[in-house]
Amino acid sequence: MLETLLDPAVFPWILIVAGAAFLVIEAATPGFFMAVPGTAMIVLGLMVLAGVDIFASPVGVGIAVLAAVVAAAVSVLIYRRISPDQTPVTTGQDTIVGKAGVVTVTVVPDTISGKVDISGVIWSAKSTGAVLAPGTKIQVTAASGVHLTVEEVR
């Protein structure tokens, strides 16, 4: 069985198919854990198809290792280029007070059934005294956990 897998006509295709499978797994669950070995396997498979016998001598092994390292470095550079260069939005109760937003679901005093949109994030809210209809511009006056107290901006 091992002889069949290492056959020069079969082995490179096993490497290429396995590398492609790793890239598909990476595309389905991004995190850059499968892209480097997948790319390296495809490069090694193509090298064997081109006639480089990576098991024949120390030189062949060295060439294979060098090619795998170069493939890994190139895949890291490509991944850096295509990955979004933004930090996740983090908003805590200490940074939300004073921010402006808009009511999306009617906000009523003393209940947190209302909803407001602050910078694209929907929060549960109650008002400081008046009923606030959807579309009303508001400002955050206090925060408790994920619930806000808001007042109308006039």
Side-chain angles (χ1 to χ4, degrees), residues 33-124:
F33 299 109
M34 304 300 272
V36 171
T39 305
M41 290 173 81
I42 290 172
V43 168
L44 291 174
L46 292 173
M47 286 176 55
V48 173
L49 275 178
V52 177
D53 190 354
I54 61 175
F55 296 124
S57 68
V59 173
V61 172
I63 291 171
V65 169
L66 180 64
V69 168
V70 169
V74 169
S75 64
V76 167
L77 292 174
I78 290 171
Y79 190 80
R80 283 187 182 163
R81 284 254 194 231
I82 64 174
S83 66
D85 190 28
Q86 58 185 356
T87 56
V89 176
T90 56
T91 305
Q93 64 187 64
D94 55 338
T95 61
I96 193 95
V97 174
K99 292 210 174 191
V102 64
V103 175
T104 59
V105 175
T106 303
V107 176
V108 181
D110 300 326
T111 73
I112 54 170
S113 61
K115 303 286 184 199
V116 295
D117 181 336
I118 310 290
S119 303
V121 178
I122 304 297
W123 295 79
S124 297

